[in-house]
Each structure stands twice: as structure tokens, then as C-alpha cells.
Amino acid sequence: MNNTDRKTMDIYLKDYVIPQLRLLDFRGSFPHFRRITGTKVNLLTFQFDLHGGGFVIEIANCIVDKTTLLWEDRIPVKRLTAHDLYTRKRIQSNMKTNSSLTEDWFRYDKKHLLGFGNIYLKVCKDVLSKFDLMKEYWDNGYINEQHDYTK
């Protein structure tokens, strides 16, 4: 997998997926996004395969101004990412499994398996097809709250 494929995937995500996040009032810069809704923060982070060719999306919720991490450092909401929280949901191409093997992630290196056409656009459409699942989690999923580790 060469670096050009990753750069191309980034461009497609920024052109097709990120505008849809913006319509949902998400702010931030690639790969980390957040939305404040009342007292809750919804988070989304793209996590890429170290070996290239794929990514997974991590989403999470937390209470504004009440997120304390295990190491007891406070992170300003503007810098908070899904990776900073313990409880989060993983969104991947294959949502029929509880495992999260990289082969279940959104893959743009399997061009021969997905037939003809633009693989990057197909991956973006797959991501967009998961938006209802993400919205459901942001609305009703687990909310990370403040933890007091001094007791």
C-alpha cells in the first residue's frame, strides 16, 4: 500500500463525508471532530490502519466540563477526541461482527474484491450508510461521565 492511496482516501473523505458531518454541526479538523449539544459532546475520530489500506471510525459521548481521564488531566472540549474516552463505539464496514479485525474495517486496498468503479467513492458511500447508526449512538449511547479516582 503506497502513501498515495491514503492521501487519495483522505481527499475523498474530506470531499464526501466531512461535509455531511458539518451539516450535523460537527467541528474540528480531520481526523477528529466534535459537536456540543446542550451538556453533551458527541465525538468522532477516524483511525487508520498502521499498515495502510483501511480505517475505522471511533465515536463517543461525554458530558461537557465533566470529563476527567484516568490520569486526571482535564482536556479542553476543543481538543477532546474519541480516543481520550474509555467507552466508545467502533463503526466499521462489517457491523455484523463484535470483533474488530482490520479486515472488517473500511478497506480501500481491496480494489479487486469490490469490482469496477471508484473504490474511494464506494468506501465513502459505505461510511455515509452508517450515519444512522452513528446518530442513534450519539443520541442514545453510553455517556462518559466524570470519574473521581481519589476515593
Side-chain angles (χ1 to χ4, degrees):
M1 178 81 349
N2 66 43
N3 200 25
T4 303
D5 291 332
R6 165 65 192 275
K7 287 179 182 176
T8 303
M9 188 71 252
D10 288 356
I11 290 167
Y12 272 83
L13 287 169
K14 289 174 184 176
D15 287 348
Y16 290 93
V17 176
I18 305 312
Q20 297 305 309
L21 285 173
R22 300 282 187 224
L23 288 174
L24 295 172
D25 294 325
F26 275 83
R27 301 292 172 250
S29 56
F30 190 76
H32 304 291
F33 298 90
R34 65 204 55 78
R35 170 179 67 180
I36 299 173
T37 58
T39 61
K40 187 165 61 170
V41 181
N42 304 132
L43 300 161
L44 179 145
T45 295
F46 292 88
Q47 177 185 327
F48 284 84
D49 186 344
L50 288 174
H51 303 290
F55 64 92
V56 68
I57 298 171
E58 301 269 356
I59 61 174
N61 294 313
C62 69
I63 300 296
V64 176
D65 291 334
K66 293 213 175 189
T67 303
T68 303
L69 306 177
L70 203 100
W71 49 91
E72 297 192 25
D73 288 335
R74 283 200 173 275
I75 295 177
V77 171
K78 290 181 180 180
R79 291 188 41 227
L80 192 64
T81 73
H83 289 162
D84 293 320
L85 302 175
Y86 295 106
T87 303
R88 54 190 184 259
K89 182 170 184 67
R90 201 163 250 203
I91 304 297
Q92 55 194 27
S93 185
N94 180 7
M95 293 301 294
K96 295 178 182 174
T97 179
N98 288 331
S99 73
S100 189
L101 303 172
T102 57
E103 63 201 40
D104 295 322
W105 291 16
F106 298 101
R107 304 296 316 175
Y108 52 92
D109 59 351
K110 307 280 188 206
K111 296 173 187 171
H112 62 285
L113 295 178
L114 296 173
F116 297 104
N118 183 324
I119 184 66
Y120 307 102
L121 186 56
K122 287 180 182 181
V123 170
C124 286
K125 287 180 179 180
D126 191 10
V127 169
L128 292 171
S129 77
K130 307 295 191 280
F131 265 43
D132 285 341
L133 178 64
M134 290 187 257
K135 288 177 190 176
E136 173 66 24
Y137 187 84
W138 287 319
D139 289 344
N140 303 310
Y142 182 84
I143 300 174
N144 291 272
E145 296 186 36
Q146 183 174 5
H147 301 283
D148 185 356
Y149 295 103
T150 60
K151 294 181 181 178

